[in-house]
Amino acid sequence: ALAFTLDALGKQARILNADAAPEHYLDFPGMDRIEIVPAVPPDLHADAVIVMECSDLSRTGVAGLEGHFIINIDHHAGNRMFGALNWFDESAAACGEMVFDVIRALGVPLTPEIATHIYLAILTDTGSFHHSNITPRTFDICRQTVEAGVNPAAMARRVFDSNSFGKLKLIGALLDQMRLQ
């Protein structure tokens, strides 16, 4: 969502991650923009690096971030406040709520692409709305994403009803070794 927001503001954004997204996420908008890297590429010349959902910088799995201006956005207890700028809000049910606030503060419209990623972040970060820190605000943000074009049922199916062949084999192997007493 932030990359699309920065695009809308005429900024250049790169998305770096240490690991590839699960296969069933690859059809979401912008997933082809993610660069899977073990370390910061030598050609990265960034004014700022935004790190989300990480209690400390090493959790990113991307080496070489230390030399950059880090913006740390997180809502989980135990954040080590490793950024040059730290935004920690334990009252947020999901980092997606915080990103939503940034998008609104910047005056960027909630496009279908941005709304999709906000909803996806909230859906997954709340354990499909199972966690106790969900508030009416959580659902209000989700309502706004639906008004922007998100289909909650389709999103839930894509995220939770998709099983790769490898995952099914793993489940089968585990069940085969299970003993009931």
Side-chain angles (χ1 to χ4, degrees), residues 31-98:
M31 296 302 287
D32 57 333
R33 294 178 62 173
I34 299 174
E35 301 173 48
I36 307 305
V37 296
V40 173
D43 67 337
L44 181 72
H45 305 288
D47 294 328
V49 173
I50 301 170
V51 176
M52 295 186 291
E53 296 278 2
C54 291
S55 56
D56 63 58
L57 198 55
S58 66
R59 189 162 184 250
T60 66
V62 177
L65 292 170
E66 301 82 10
H68 296 275
F69 184 88
I70 304 285
I71 300 172
N72 168 24
I73 302 174
D74 193 19
H75 68 111
H76 295 103
N79 189 286
R80 299 230 168 113
M81 303 300 182
F82 56 84
L85 179 63
N86 296 289
W87 182 18
F88 172 72
D89 182 0
E90 199 172 1
S91 73
C95 226
E97 290 183 5
M98 299 168 73

Side-chain angles (χ1 to χ4, degrees), residues 163-178:
N163 286 311
S164 67
F165 183 67
K167 183 176 177 180
L168 291 174
K169 283 183 68 172
L170 176 63
I171 292 169
L174 291 171
L175 289 173
D176 190 44
Q177 298 297 318
M178 189 182 284

Side-chain angles (χ1 to χ4, degrees), residues 135-151:
T135 66
R137 174 177 148 59
T138 307
F139 289 108
D140 186 51
I141 292 170
C142 290
R143 176 192 55 79
Q144 292 179 59
T145 66
V146 170
E147 289 172 350
V150 169
N151 179 330

Side-chain angles (χ1 to χ4, degrees), residues 17 19-28 31 34 36 120 124 158-159 162-164 167:
N17 205 38
D19 301 305
E23 188 176 316
H24 58 278
Y25 283 38
L26 297 180
D27 289 335
F28 286 111
M31 296 302 287
I34 299 174
I36 307 305
L120 178 62
T124 56
R158 286 174 74 182
V159 172
S162 299
N163 286 311
S164 67
K167 183 176 177 180

Side-chain angles (χ1 to χ4, degrees), residues 103-168:
I103 293 163
R104 286 299 192 217
L106 293 171
V108 173
L110 201 57
T111 64
E113 294 82 12
I114 292 172
T116 294
H117 285 284
I118 293 294
Y119 189 88
L120 178 62
I122 292 172
L123 177 67
T124 56
D125 212 5
T126 62
S128 70
F129 306 102
H130 282 81
H131 301 317
S132 62
N133 60 346
I134 297 167
T135 66
R137 174 177 148 59
T138 307
F139 289 108
D140 186 51
I141 292 170
C142 290
R143 176 192 55 79
Q144 292 179 59
T145 66
V146 170
E147 289 172 350
V150 169
N151 179 330
M155 292 283 286
R157 280 192 297 274
R158 286 174 74 182
V159 172
F160 298 111
D161 296 348
S162 299
N163 286 311
S164 67
F165 183 67
K167 183 176 177 180
L168 291 174

